[in-house]
Amino acid sequence: MMQPVQCTLPLAMAGTGTRVRLVEVTGNQRSARRLAELGLIPGSHLTIMNDHGGTLLIAVGDTRLALGAGVAHSVLVSALD
């Protein structure tokens, strides 16, 4: 049986109020490791609380994080239904 195609986009493009699932962190290994330490691992659910036109405020469980535009573009996500 074929798996449905999963549409991914950078976290920075998802929009305020959107709930997403983290698919992959691209870029360098150091950044990926640091994000994993903060709870941003593939499969985790995120909510975009606010988009300040560069800096994103996101919720991961009970934790709130601010991500710069460069980092937000390296995090690939898919929308949750």
Side-chain angles (χ1 to χ4, degrees):
M1 187 162 142
M2 292 182 57
Q3 295 290 329
V5 175
Q6 187 174 7
C7 181
T8 62
L9 69 152
L11 181 62
M13 310 225 13
T16 301
T18 306
R19 288 190 32 83
V20 296
R21 177 181 299 115
L22 194 147
V23 174
E24 178 183 7
V25 177
T26 63
N28 68 44
Q29 201 170 30
R30 182 177 179 205
S31 294
R33 184 174 43 250
R34 179 63 181 137
L35 291 174
E37 290 170 353
L38 295 170
L40 296 174
I41 57 174
S44 59
H45 294 191
L46 317 171
T47 303
I48 301 171
M49 304 300 290
N50 209 333
D51 182 352
H52 294 289
T55 302
L56 292 179
L57 177 63
I58 63 168
V60 183
D62 293 333
T63 303
R64 303 296 182 263
L65 300 169
L67 299 179
V71 172
H73 278 284
S74 72
V75 176
L76 298 180
V77 297
S78 65
L80 290 174
D81 295 329

